[in-house]
Amino acid sequence: KNKIKKMKEIKLDSEVITQCSDALLKFIHNENAKRLKKQLSVQEEQFIILTVHFTPPINSTTGPQQKVFKIPHSLLFKTSSVCLVVKDGLGVIKEKLLVEQTLHPELACIKQVMNLKQLEGQLRSSSKHKLCTQFSLILLDKRCYRKAFPLFGKEFISKNKMPIQVKVDDSLFKSIRNLCSTTQFCLTNDSSCVSIRIGNTSQSPKQISENVLSVVGKKLIESL
């Protein structure tokens, strides 16, 4: 960690990243075309994952840490689903959401609002896997974040779907609109690498490149 801290930033060539992104997108589209010819199912909407390796491993003495970065191009698809979990006041939040969705169409991505008790029930049952696959992003009330966070486990960590905490107050939905343009990763004890969602297959190579450059550099070094 000390060696990494001595670095001010990681310097990257934007042109090379754009070319690599273009090659990756072409490869994915070609693979999908082959699967379609064989009448196999195709996942049209896929995330682009960036893996960063650390030598030596990063030691997190305070346990798992969630890192959130602002990116210029949102990772959410038009069909993405977001789940909002609140500690209490479920009815009031649902009513406010309906109003906000008419004013801000981008909030239509919030498909479900549940309380902490409902979340705990799903995380402690066979519905845990369904919860992980059903939603692209889970937003968790800051007041119950510490209690609920350990229940998510390895599947959510491996798929970069650990919840992001939100403060449930008058600016909740403004905060959510901002969070939809973020990416995250979870730094665990003795991390030798992290995987970060950095783009998706509906974006252009330039957009993916700009997302990479916005995260891998000074921001990433400062977060460790």
Side-chain angles (χ1 to χ4, degrees), residues 16-17 22 31 41 44 71 75 78 82 101 103 112 117 128 130 137 145 157 160 162 167 169 174 184 209-210:
V16 172
I17 296 172
D22 183 50
E31 288 299 303
S41 61
E44 293 183 2
I71 52 176
L75 301 181
K78 291 180 180 179
V82 175
Q101 285 177 329
L103 299 172
Q112 187 171 348
K117 187 177 180 180
K128 186 173 184 176
K130 181 181 177 183
L137 183 65
Y145 189 84
I157 291 175
N160 295 290
M162 291 302 285
K167 187 176 181 181
D169 56 13
K174 182 180 179 181
Q184 60 172 313
S209 174
E210 288 171 353

PDB file of all heavy atoms in Angstrom, residues 16-17 22 31 41 44 71 75 78 82 101 103 112 117 128 130 137 145 157 160 162 167 169 174 184 209-210:
ATOM      1  N   VAL A  16      -5.114   4.444 -26.960  1.00  0.00           N
ATOM      2  CA  VAL A  16      -4.942   2.990 -26.858  1.00  0.00           C
ATOM      3  C   VAL A  16      -6.156   2.361 -26.184  1.00  0.00           C
ATOM      4  O   VAL A  16      -6.651   1.318 -26.613  1.00  0.00           O
ATOM      5  CB  VAL A  16      -3.658   2.652 -26.066  1.00  0.00           C
ATOM      6  CG1 VAL A  16      -3.582   1.153 -25.784  1.00  0.00           C
ATOM      7  CG2 VAL A  16      -2.429   3.100 -26.832  1.00  0.00           C
ATOM      8  N   ILE A  17      -6.671   3.010 -25.146  1.00  0.00           N
ATOM      9  CA  ILE A  17      -7.847   2.482 -24.431  1.00  0.00           C
ATOM     10  C   ILE A  17      -9.056   2.454 -25.358  1.00  0.00           C
ATOM     11  O   ILE A  17      -9.835   1.499 -25.366  1.00  0.00           O
ATOM     12  CB  ILE A  17      -8.156   3.325 -23.177  1.00  0.00           C
ATOM     13  CG1 ILE A  17      -6.999   3.218 -22.194  1.00  0.00           C
ATOM     14  CG2 ILE A  17      -9.437   2.844 -22.506  1.00  0.00           C
ATOM     15  CD1 ILE A  17      -7.109   4.153 -21.023  1.00  0.00           C
ATOM     16  N   ASP A  22     -12.815  -0.686 -28.606  1.00  0.00           N
ATOM     17  CA  ASP A  22     -13.417  -0.978 -29.902  1.00  0.00           C
ATOM     18  C   ASP A  22     -13.223  -2.446 -30.271  1.00  0.00           C
ATOM     19  O   ASP A  22     -14.156  -3.124 -30.720  1.00  0.00           O
ATOM     20  CB  ASP A  22     -12.776  -0.074 -30.972  1.00  0.00           C
ATOM     21  CG  ASP A  22     -13.409  -0.263 -32.344  1.00  0.00           C
ATOM     22  OD1 ASP A  22     -14.653  -0.226 -32.443  1.00  0.00           O
ATOM     23  OD2 ASP A  22     -12.660  -0.476 -33.314  1.00  0.00           O
ATOM     24  N   GLU A  31     -19.112 -12.756 -31.286  1.00  0.00           N
ATOM     25  CA  GLU A  31     -19.466 -13.949 -30.503  1.00  0.00           C
ATOM     26  C   GLU A  31     -20.980 -14.090 -30.393  1.00  0.00           C
ATOM     27  O   GLU A  31     -21.523 -15.199 -30.490  1.00  0.00           O
ATOM     28  CB  GLU A  31     -18.844 -13.868 -29.102  1.00  0.00           C
ATOM     29  CG  GLU A  31     -17.334 -14.066 -29.082  1.00  0.00           C
ATOM     30  CD  GLU A  31     -16.933 -15.436 -29.615  1.00  0.00           C
ATOM     31  OE1 GLU A  31     -17.395 -16.453 -29.069  1.00  0.00           O
ATOM     32  OE2 GLU A  31     -16.160 -15.485 -30.599  1.00  0.00           O
ATOM     33  N   SER A  41     -29.132 -18.685 -26.988  1.00  0.00           N
ATOM     34  CA  SER A  41     -29.543 -17.422 -26.376  1.00  0.00           C
ATOM     35  C   SER A  41     -28.357 -16.458 -26.291  1.00  0.00           C
ATOM     36  O   SER A  41     -27.208 -16.869 -26.146  1.00  0.00           O
ATOM     37  CB  SER A  41     -30.106 -17.662 -24.968  1.00  0.00           C
ATOM     38  OG  SER A  41     -29.119 -18.231 -24.134  1.00  0.00           O
ATOM     39  N   GLU A  44     -27.715  -9.579 -24.793  1.00  0.00           N
ATOM     40  CA  GLU A  44     -27.359  -8.408 -25.585  1.00  0.00           C
ATOM     41  C   GLU A  44     -26.749  -7.298 -24.733  1.00  0.00           C
ATOM     42  O   GLU A  44     -25.850  -6.593 -25.165  1.00  0.00           O
ATOM     43  CB  GLU A  44     -28.592  -7.886 -26.316  1.00  0.00           C
ATOM     44  CG  GLU A  44     -29.099  -8.855 -27.389  1.00  0.00           C
ATOM     45  CD  GLU A  44     -30.274  -8.296 -28.151  1.00  0.00           C
ATOM     46  OE1 GLU A  44     -30.672  -7.153 -27.872  1.00  0.00           O
ATOM     47  OE2 GLU A  44     -30.797  -9.014 -29.025  1.00  0.00           O
ATOM     48  N   ILE A  71     -18.609   8.697 -12.736  1.00  0.00           N
ATOM     49  CA  ILE A  71     -18.136   8.474 -14.105  1.00  0.00           C
ATOM     50  C   ILE A  71     -18.976   9.312 -15.079  1.00  0.00           C
ATOM     51  O   ILE A  71     -20.136   9.626 -14.795  1.00  0.00           O
ATOM     52  CB  ILE A  71     -18.213   6.977 -14.502  1.00  0.00           C
ATOM     53  CG1 ILE A  71     -19.608   6.413 -14.232  1.00  0.00           C
ATOM     54  CG2 ILE A  71     -17.144   6.168 -13.785  1.00  0.00           C
ATOM     55  CD1 ILE A  71     -19.798   4.986 -14.682  1.00  0.00           C
ATOM     56  N   LEU A  75     -23.653   3.531 -16.365  1.00  0.00           N
ATOM     57  CA  LEU A  75     -23.567   2.119 -16.724  1.00  0.00           C
ATOM     58  C   LEU A  75     -24.941   1.488 -16.922  1.00  0.00           C
ATOM     59  O   LEU A  75     -25.042   0.375 -17.432  1.00  0.00           O
ATOM     60  CB  LEU A  75     -22.832   1.344 -15.620  1.00  0.00           C
ATOM     61  CG  LEU A  75     -21.406   1.797 -15.296  1.00  0.00           C
ATOM     62  CD1 LEU A  75     -20.827   0.910 -14.201  1.00  0.00           C
ATOM     63  CD2 LEU A  75     -20.526   1.734 -16.535  1.00  0.00           C
ATOM     64  N   LYS A  78     -31.262   0.971 -20.608  1.00  0.00           N
ATOM     65  CA  LYS A  78     -32.663   1.407 -20.575  1.00  0.00           C
ATOM     66  C   LYS A  78     -33.528   0.407 -19.821  1.00  0.00           C
ATOM     67  O   LYS A  78     -34.561   0.757 -19.255  1.00  0.00           O
ATOM     68  CB  LYS A  78     -33.190   1.594 -22.002  1.00  0.00           C
ATOM     69  CG  LYS A  78     -32.571   2.776 -22.737  1.00  0.00           C
ATOM     70  CD  LYS A  78     -33.129   2.911 -24.138  1.00  0.00           C
ATOM     71  CE  LYS A  78     -32.494   4.101 -24.857  1.00  0.00           C
ATOM     72  NZ  LYS A  78     -32.992   4.245 -26.246  1.00  0.00           N
ATOM     73  N   VAL A  82     -33.336  -0.963 -10.630  1.00  0.00           N
ATOM     74  CA  VAL A  82     -32.732  -0.510  -9.382  1.00  0.00           C
ATOM     75  C   VAL A  82     -33.693  -0.798  -8.236  1.00  0.00           C
ATOM     76  O   VAL A  82     -34.901  -0.600  -8.368  1.00  0.00           O
ATOM     77  CB  VAL A  82     -32.401   1.008  -9.437  1.00  0.00           C
ATOM     78  CG1 VAL A  82     -31.883   1.507  -8.095  1.00  0.00           C
ATOM     79  CG2 VAL A  82     -31.393   1.292 -10.541  1.00  0.00           C
ATOM     80  N   GLN A 101     -40.843  10.372 -10.418  1.00  0.00           N
ATOM     81  CA  GLN A 101     -40.691   9.684 -11.709  1.00  0.00           C
ATOM     82  C   GLN A 101     -41.386  10.429 -12.841  1.00  0.00           C
ATOM     83  O   GLN A 101     -40.961  10.339 -13.998  1.00  0.00           O
ATOM     84  CB  GLN A 101     -41.196   8.249 -11.602  1.00  0.00           C
ATOM     85  CG  GLN A 101     -40.242   7.328 -10.852  1.00  0.00           C
ATOM     86  CD  GLN A 101     -40.773   5.931 -10.680  1.00  0.00           C
ATOM     87  OE1 GLN A 101     -41.980   5.703 -10.581  1.00  0.00           O
ATOM     88  NE2 GLN A 101     -39.872   4.948 -10.624  1.00  0.00           N
ATOM     89  N   LEU A 103     -41.498  13.708 -12.919  1.00  0.00           N
ATOM     90  CA  LEU A 103     -40.651  14.888 -13.135  1.00  0.00           C
ATOM     91  C   LEU A 103     -39.297  14.525 -13.728  1.00  0.00           C
ATOM     92  O   LEU A 103     -38.720  15.297 -14.498  1.00  0.00           O
ATOM     93  CB  LEU A 103     -40.432  15.629 -11.803  1.00  0.00           C
ATOM     94  CG  LEU A 103     -41.685  16.176 -11.111  1.00  0.00           C
ATOM     95  CD1 LEU A 103     -41.344  16.704  -9.720  1.00  0.00           C
ATOM     96  CD2 LEU A 103     -42.328  17.272 -11.952  1.00  0.00           C
ATOM     97  N   GLN A 112     -38.334  -1.317  -7.707  1.00  0.00           N
ATOM     98  CA  GLN A 112     -38.877  -1.840  -6.448  1.00  0.00           C
ATOM     99  C   GLN A 112     -38.350  -1.054  -5.258  1.00  0.00           C
ATOM    100  O   GLN A 112     -37.188  -0.656  -5.219  1.00  0.00           O
ATOM    101  CB  GLN A 112     -38.532  -3.320  -6.282  1.00  0.00           C
ATOM    102  CG  GLN A 112     -39.211  -3.971  -5.074  1.00  0.00           C
ATOM    103  CD  GLN A 112     -39.021  -5.486  -5.049  1.00  0.00           C
ATOM    104  OE1 GLN A 112     -38.581  -6.086  -6.029  1.00  0.00           O
ATOM    105  NE2 GLN A 112     -39.367  -6.108  -3.940  1.00  0.00           N
ATOM    106  N   LYS A 117     -36.864  -5.141   6.719  1.00  0.00           N
ATOM    107  CA  LYS A 117     -37.367  -6.467   7.078  1.00  0.00           C
ATOM    108  C   LYS A 117     -37.555  -7.345   5.848  1.00  0.00           C
ATOM    109  O   LYS A 117     -37.207  -8.528   5.837  1.00  0.00           O
ATOM    110  CB  LYS A 117     -38.688  -6.333   7.835  1.00  0.00           C
ATOM    111  CG  LYS A 117     -39.211  -7.650   8.391  1.00  0.00           C
ATOM    112  CD  LYS A 117     -40.486  -7.436   9.206  1.00  0.00           C
ATOM    113  CE  LYS A 117     -41.004  -8.767   9.757  1.00  0.00           C
ATOM    114  NZ  LYS A 117     -42.248  -8.572  10.544  1.00  0.00           N
ATOM    115  N   LYS A 128     -32.149 -14.999  -2.360  1.00  0.00           N
ATOM    116  CA  LYS A 128     -30.921 -14.195  -2.379  1.00  0.00           C
ATOM    117  C   LYS A 128     -30.315 -14.134  -3.781  1.00  0.00           C
ATOM    118  O   LYS A 128     -29.928 -13.066  -4.261  1.00  0.00           O
ATOM    119  CB  LYS A 128     -29.918 -14.769  -1.392  1.00  0.00           C
ATOM    120  CG  LYS A 128     -28.660 -13.939  -1.212  1.00  0.00           C
ATOM    121  CD  LYS A 128     -27.800 -14.503  -0.081  1.00  0.00           C
ATOM    122  CE  LYS A 128     -26.595 -13.644   0.194  1.00  0.00           C
ATOM    123  NZ  LYS A 128     -25.812 -14.116   1.348  1.00  0.00           N
ATOM    124  N   LYS A 130     -31.859 -14.641  -6.632  1.00  0.00           N
ATOM    125  CA  LYS A 130     -32.786 -13.903  -7.496  1.00  0.00           C
ATOM    126  C   LYS A 130     -32.598 -12.402  -7.319  1.00  0.00           C
ATOM    127  O   LYS A 130     -32.614 -11.636  -8.286  1.00  0.00           O
ATOM    128  CB  LYS A 130     -34.231 -14.297  -7.177  1.00  0.00           C
ATOM    129  CG  LYS A 130     -35.266 -13.600  -8.049  1.00  0.00           C
ATOM    130  CD  LYS A 130     -36.673 -14.008  -7.656  1.00  0.00           C
ATOM    131  CE  LYS A 130     -37.699 -13.247  -8.498  1.00  0.00           C
ATOM    132  NZ  LYS A 130     -39.093 -13.580  -8.086  1.00  0.00           N
ATOM    133  N   LEU A 137     -28.588  -2.531  -9.616  1.00  0.00           N
ATOM    134  CA  LEU A 137     -28.067  -1.676  -8.549  1.00  0.00           C
ATOM    135  C   LEU A 137     -29.011  -1.728  -7.360  1.00  0.00           C
ATOM    136  O   LEU A 137     -30.231  -1.685  -7.525  1.00  0.00           O
ATOM    137  CB  LEU A 137     -27.949  -0.236  -9.071  1.00  0.00           C
ATOM    138  CG  LEU A 137     -27.365   0.836  -8.157  1.00  0.00           C
ATOM    139  CD1 LEU A 137     -25.902   0.542  -7.862  1.00  0.00           C
ATOM    140  CD2 LEU A 137     -27.504   2.215  -8.803  1.00  0.00           C
ATOM    141  N   TYR A 145     -27.442   0.516   6.869  1.00  0.00           N
ATOM    142  CA  TYR A 145     -26.385  -0.010   6.000  1.00  0.00           C
ATOM    143  C   TYR A 145     -25.440  -0.950   6.740  1.00  0.00           C
ATOM    144  O   TYR A 145     -25.141  -2.051   6.289  1.00  0.00           O
ATOM    145  CB  TYR A 145     -25.605   1.158   5.395  1.00  0.00           C
ATOM    146  CG  TYR A 145     -24.618   0.753   4.322  1.00  0.00           C
ATOM    147  CD1 TYR A 145     -25.042   0.590   3.011  1.00  0.00           C
ATOM    148  CD2 TYR A 145     -23.269   0.552   4.623  1.00  0.00           C
ATOM    149  CE1 TYR A 145     -24.145   0.230   2.016  1.00  0.00           C
ATOM    150  CE2 TYR A 145     -22.372   0.191   3.632  1.00  0.00           C
ATOM    151  CZ  TYR A 145     -22.821   0.033   2.333  1.00  0.00           C
ATOM    152  OH  TYR A 145     -21.926  -0.337   1.360  1.00  0.00           O
ATOM    153  N   ILE A 157     -20.488  -9.590  -4.035  1.00  0.00           N
ATOM    154  CA  ILE A 157     -19.135  -9.040  -4.179  1.00  0.00           C
ATOM    155  C   ILE A 157     -18.554  -9.421  -5.535  1.00  0.00           C
ATOM    156  O   ILE A 157     -18.020  -8.586  -6.263  1.00  0.00           O
ATOM    157  CB  ILE A 157     -18.209  -9.546  -3.046  1.00  0.00           C
ATOM    158  CG1 ILE A 157     -18.629  -8.939  -1.704  1.00  0.00           C
ATOM    159  CG2 ILE A 157     -16.747  -9.186  -3.338  1.00  0.00           C
ATOM    160  CD1 ILE A 157     -17.850  -9.469  -0.513  1.00  0.00           C
ATOM    161  N   ASN A 160     -19.951  -7.454  -8.385  1.00  0.00           N
ATOM    162  CA  ASN A 160     -19.897  -6.002  -8.203  1.00  0.00           C
ATOM    163  C   ASN A 160     -21.275  -5.400  -7.966  1.00  0.00           C
ATOM    164  O   ASN A 160     -21.641  -4.371  -8.539  1.00  0.00           O
ATOM    165  CB  ASN A 160     -19.243  -5.325  -9.419  1.00  0.00           C
ATOM    166  CG  ASN A 160     -17.799  -5.711  -9.583  1.00  0.00           C
ATOM    167  OD1 ASN A 160     -16.957  -5.316  -8.797  1.00  0.00           O
ATOM    168  ND2 ASN A 160     -17.524  -6.517 -10.590  1.00  0.00           N
ATOM    169  N   MET A 162     -22.570  -5.055  -4.627  1.00  0.00           N
ATOM    170  CA  MET A 162     -22.757  -4.662  -3.233  1.00  0.00           C
ATOM    171  C   MET A 162     -23.548  -3.359  -3.196  1.00  0.00           C
ATOM    172  O   MET A 162     -23.393  -2.495  -4.069  1.00  0.00           O
ATOM    173  CB  MET A 162     -21.414  -4.499  -2.532  1.00  0.00           C
ATOM    174  CG  MET A 162     -20.668  -5.811  -2.334  1.00  0.00           C
ATOM    175  SD  MET A 162     -21.597  -7.044  -1.386  1.00  0.00           S
ATOM    176  CE  MET A 162     -21.444  -6.394   0.275  1.00  0.00           C
ATOM    177  N   LYS A 167     -28.595   8.481   1.766  1.00  0.00           N
ATOM    178  CA  LYS A 167     -29.190   9.163   2.910  1.00  0.00           C
ATOM    179  C   LYS A 167     -30.644   9.469   2.590  1.00  0.00           C
ATOM    180  O   LYS A 167     -30.947  10.163   1.612  1.00  0.00           O
ATOM    181  CB  LYS A 167     -28.427  10.457   3.202  1.00  0.00           C
ATOM    182  CG  LYS A 167     -28.865  11.148   4.487  1.00  0.00           C
ATOM    183  CD  LYS A 167     -28.002  12.372   4.766  1.00  0.00           C
ATOM    184  CE  LYS A 167     -28.430  13.042   6.060  1.00  0.00           C
ATOM    185  NZ  LYS A 167     -27.601  14.256   6.344  1.00  0.00           N
ATOM    186  N   ASP A 169     -33.437  11.461   2.971  1.00  0.00           N
ATOM    187  CA  ASP A 169     -33.891  12.774   3.441  1.00  0.00           C
ATOM    188  C   ASP A 169     -34.592  13.475   2.284  1.00  0.00           C
ATOM    189  O   ASP A 169     -34.969  12.829   1.291  1.00  0.00           O
ATOM    190  CB  ASP A 169     -32.715  13.608   3.968  1.00  0.00           C
ATOM    191  CG  ASP A 169     -31.604  13.784   2.926  1.00  0.00           C
ATOM    192  OD1 ASP A 169     -31.846  13.477   1.740  1.00  0.00           O
ATOM    193  OD2 ASP A 169     -30.501  14.231   3.299  1.00  0.00           O
ATOM    194  N   LYS A 174     -32.682  13.262  -5.643  1.00  0.00           N
ATOM    195  CA  LYS A 174     -31.613  13.986  -6.337  1.00  0.00           C
ATOM    196  C   LYS A 174     -30.306  13.201  -6.198  1.00  0.00           C
ATOM    197  O   LYS A 174     -29.539  13.063  -7.161  1.00  0.00           O
ATOM    198  CB  LYS A 174     -31.447  15.386  -5.749  1.00  0.00           C
ATOM    199  CG  LYS A 174     -30.376  16.213  -6.452  1.00  0.00           C
ATOM    200  CD  LYS A 174     -30.250  17.594  -5.832  1.00  0.00           C
ATOM    201  CE  LYS A 174     -29.157  18.393  -6.536  1.00  0.00           C
ATOM    202  NZ  LYS A 174     -29.004  19.751  -5.935  1.00  0.00           N
ATOM    203  N   GLN A 184     -18.583   1.268  -8.761  1.00  0.00           N
ATOM    204  CA  GLN A 184     -18.113   0.937  -7.421  1.00  0.00           C
ATOM    205  C   GLN A 184     -17.310  -0.357  -7.430  1.00  0.00           C
ATOM    206  O   GLN A 184     -17.370  -1.134  -8.385  1.00  0.00           O
ATOM    207  CB  GLN A 184     -19.310   0.762  -6.483  1.00  0.00           C
ATOM    208  CG  GLN A 184     -20.240  -0.354  -6.964  1.00  0.00           C
ATOM    209  CD  GLN A 184     -21.322  -0.701  -5.970  1.00  0.00           C
ATOM    210  OE1 GLN A 184     -21.044  -0.870  -4.785  1.00  0.00           O
ATOM    211  NE2 GLN A 184     -22.547  -0.804  -6.439  1.00  0.00           N
ATOM    212  N   SER A 209     -13.770   4.434 -22.905  1.00  0.00           N
ATOM    213  CA  SER A 209     -12.441   4.979 -22.643  1.00  0.00           C
ATOM    214  C   SER A 209     -12.510   6.130 -21.640  1.00  0.00           C
ATOM    215  O   SER A 209     -11.690   6.218 -20.714  1.00  0.00           O
ATOM    216  CB  SER A 209     -11.817   5.470 -23.950  1.00  0.00           C
ATOM    217  OG  SER A 209     -10.583   6.119 -23.711  1.00  0.00           O
ATOM    218  N   GLU A 210     -13.492   7.011 -21.793  1.00  0.00           N
ATOM    219  CA  GLU A 210     -13.635   8.149 -20.886  1.00  0.00           C
ATOM    220  C   GLU A 210     -13.976   7.686 -19.469  1.00  0.00           C
ATOM    221  O   GLU A 210     -13.522   8.284 -18.481  1.00  0.00           O
ATOM    222  CB  GLU A 210     -14.700   9.116 -21.419  1.00  0.00           C
ATOM    223  CG  GLU A 210     -14.223   9.887 -22.640  1.00  0.00           C
ATOM    224  CD  GLU A 210     -15.330  10.691 -23.308  1.00  0.00           C
ATOM    225  OE1 GLU A 210     -16.516  10.544 -22.904  1.00  0.00           O
ATOM    226  OE2 GLU A 210     -15.020  11.462 -24.238  1.00  0.00           O
TER     227      GLU A 210
END
